[in-house]
């Protein structure tokens, strides 16, 4: 037993719900990776799946510094720089001087990048709506809330 009273693996406490969670998350994440790759290719044939997540963040949060993006995703500056360079070369994002700090740049989605992203996002939303057509809206909202809670716990 952990100092906080939380059971730990191997202490004889039934962990079936955590094993089920691990199993379902593994399947979900495998499918999400494949889906992310498909969506990235739909935005641009040369777009890396990991860079698709950058587009999501920039569309939703607006322009940001590369260092803030790296911190948000928990990756190093070199990884972020490489992904942003690829997005710039594809014409999906652009850099502009940060008015608050002339040494830094802000990254923002281009008009073309935003339009491509929105087409893919709309198509994806239609797929979710089709796949979850027999779910109650409150169940969908609860799933979104629980996933948000899981993501927030992972950030802490």
């Amino acid at each position: 037993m952990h100092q906080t009273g939380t059971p730990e693996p191997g202490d004889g406490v039934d962990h079936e719900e955590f094993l089920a969670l691990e199993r379902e998350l593994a399947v979900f994440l495998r499918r999400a990776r494949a889906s992310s790759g498909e969506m990235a290719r739909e935005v641009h044939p040369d777009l890396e799946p990991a860079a698709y997540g950058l587009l999501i963040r920039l569309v939703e949060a607006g322009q940001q510094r590369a260092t803030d993006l790296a911190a948000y995703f928990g990756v190093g500056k070199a990884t972020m720089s490489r992904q942003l360079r690829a997005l710039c070369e594809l014409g999906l994002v652009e850099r502009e001087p940060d008015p608050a700090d002339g040494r830094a740049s802000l990254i923002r989605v281009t008009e073309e990048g935003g339009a491509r992203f929105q087409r893919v996002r709309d198509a994806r939303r239609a797929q979710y709506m089709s796949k979850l057509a027999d779910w109650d809206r409150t169940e969908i909202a609860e799933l979104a809330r629980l996933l948000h809670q899981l993501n927030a716990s992972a950030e802490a």
Side-chain angles (χ1 to χ4, degrees):
M1 180 96 40
H2 193 267
Q3 291 176 355
T4 62
T6 305
E8 291 187 353
D11 63 7
V13 176
D14 183 15
H15 295 281
E16 190 58 39
E17 63 275 10
F18 293 101
L19 293 173
L21 175 63
E22 178 184 31
R23 183 176 49 252
E24 295 304 324
L25 279 175
V27 171
F28 179 78
L29 291 172
R30 192 174 13 223
R31 288 181 177 156
R33 275 189 219 102
S35 176
S36 185
E38 291 171 18
M39 290 185 295
R41 284 187 297 279
E42 289 175 26
V43 170
H44 192 286
D46 297 326
L47 182 62
E48 293 180 26
Y52 181 77
L54 283 172
L55 281 178
I56 293 172
R57 178 67 179 168
L58 287 167
V59 166
E60 292 181 349
Q63 63 185 12
Q64 296 186 21
R65 290 182 178 185
T67 53
D68 294 335
L69 288 166
Y72 178 81
F73 286 105
V75 299
K77 290 179 187 178
T79 298
M80 184 55 56
S81 180
R82 182 183 57 75
Q83 290 178 349
L84 289 172
R85 186 170 39 258
L87 285 168
C88 284
E89 289 171 1
L90 296 174
L92 303 173
V93 302
E94 60 191 5
R95 295 178 185 269
E96 56 187 42
D98 184 345
D101 181 354
R103 300 167 297 164
S105 295
L106 293 174
I107 312 299
R108 71 175 197 84
V109 177
T110 63
E111 188 174 323
E112 175 68 16
R116 286 173 173 255
F117 175 81
Q118 195 58 51
R119 281 193 299 273
V120 172
R121 178 173 258 186
D122 289 346
R124 183 60 47 169
R125 188 177 307 120
Q127 286 180 343
Y128 288 148
M129 291 174 75
S130 174
K131 288 179 181 180
L132 302 176
D134 59 340
W135 285 41
D136 185 270
R137 289 277 177 135
T138 57
E139 291 174 318
I140 296 168
E142 180 66 1
L143 176 59
R145 186 190 70 75
L146 290 170
L147 287 171
H148 175 76
Q149 185 176 335
L150 179 64
N151 287 329
S153 295
E155 287 178 24

